[in-house]
Amino acid sequence: MDRRIVVTRTVPELALEILRAAGEVVVCGQDRPLTADELKEAVRGAHGVVAMLHDRVDGSVAEAAGPQLEVVANVAVGYDNIDVEALARHRVVVTNTPGVLVDATADLALGLLLAVTRRLGEGERLLRAREPWTFHLGFMLGTGLQGKTLGIIGLGQIGQAVARRARAFGMRIAYTGRRRADAAVEAELDARFLGQDELLRDSDMVSVHCPLTEQTRHLIDERALRLMKPTAVLVNTSRGPVVDEKALASALREGRIGGAALDVFEHEPDVDPGLLELDNVALAPHLGSATIETRTAMAELAARNVAAVLGGKPPVTPVTG
Ligand code: NDP
Ligand code: DGY
């Protein structure tokens, strides 16, 4: 019997070829996310689903699909959109795409950090508004990275890649997390392990790289922001809800921190209007993994996961919970 594989939004051809070899492929393909009802309708009878981070896949989606559903492959490393426990109860394997997006996301985190510390957006807006300007020694001064401390929350794959890049800019590395990193990683990055409060107090720049979980929702809240230096810059390329966006907008407006650089937002695709009004904020529309090479690799990995499970083999990159 041919297996039915539902792809909730179009993926690169290379991935489709892998999927077509594993079953009959249906690409939903709209230029917008499926609604919850459309998702349930689309997955009916599916053996495999290739999902995107805006698809909320829970037990009700597994029920709508039917008992033949074997695998849900998220085309993202973050899987906060998937109820992994509920799917496990339905004996559905969940996979994600770790590793292949590390460099692209770390590059963007550094790009955003530079954008806010060197006021690139502000400068570009000035030029595009055809405002008069001349070079002088006090014009549009930013902050250098050399010698500054970068505090990393979550020294996983992307956190480490950001630390490596920051070291090349002459930054010092501190990090926090649920546990210490391997001694070899600490040694390579000359990274100091700190408690979260200490890290927030000590860092000139803070970059967030933990997953969104019940423990990390609003990890950066009003209290955390009050611990940061008045000159500190917050970079978030993890998930929007890790930061309380309203509290962040207030802290920035009141000058309690120096700036922010955000790739992700609490209620995507919306952005808190308070943030849009501020000059000391660099913004990107969830572009962390958005290179041709990386998105192709992510889709290919997701397709290989589906093909493995439907072929009776272990998944390449399973989510273990
Ligand atoms: P990893 O799993 O390699 O790293 C995550 C790190 O966060 C681990 O070190 C983990 O530690 C740590 N962590 C977990 N819980 C906490 C906590 N409560 N407090 C502090 N640290 C914690 O994942 P990646 O580095 O590959 O990806 C990280 C996240 O980045 C993804 O989950 C995703 O949400 C986001 N992302 C965003 C992208 C974008 O486009 N903007 C692109 C790619 C990823 P432990 O070992 O204890 O679990
Ligand atoms: C992820 O992989 O979690 C990102 O948010 C998209 O690449």
Side-chain angles (χ1 to χ4, degrees), residues 53 74-80 97 101 105 158 237-239 263-264 286-290 294-295 298:
L53 53 82
N74 211 33
V75 192
V77 64
Y79 50 86
D80 47 280
T97 61
L101 39 60
T105 310
I158 297 170
T237 57
S238 66
R239 281 289 183 273
D263 184 43
V264 288
H286 206 141
L287 296 180
S289 63
T294 300
R295 287 285 166 82
M298 289 165 67

Side-chain angles (χ1 to χ4, degrees), residues 109-137:
L110 260 293
L112 281 173
L113 177 60
L114 285 166
V116 70
T117 53
R118 300 301 300 275
R119 304 172 64 176
L120 297 180
E122 210 181 327
E124 181 166 349
R125 284 192 291 279
L126 176 121
L127 292 178
R128 288 187 189 275
R130 295 184 162 75
E131 297 282 343
W133 67 280
T134 57
F135 175 92
H136 66 87
L137 290 188

